[in-house]
Amino acid sequence: MTDHLTGPPGITVEVPVAPDPFLLRPLIAARLAGRPVPEGPEATVAQAVAAHVLREAGPWR
């Protein structure tokens, strides 16, 4: 089974299982800061969201 998660416009992520929603915010923040995150469905979603944010907003540092 594959979960299809649709986030903000332009983001669709396929992961093998639903990610833990409580882990998404800190993992997205870590990816935006350039820190590594443990592998898993949450990391896949976090990477997709961070990439989208950086593409849309540009580097914010």
Side-chain angles (χ1 to χ4, degrees), residues 24-61:
L24 290 177
R25 179 177 245 165
L27 292 181
I28 291 167
R31 293 307 304 143
L32 285 170
R35 294 190 311 267
V37 297
E39 290 188 27
E42 296 85 2
T44 303
V45 174
Q47 179 59 41
V49 171
H52 177 79
V53 168
L54 292 174
R55 232 183 356 263
E56 293 296 315
W60 45 274
R61 294 179 189 214

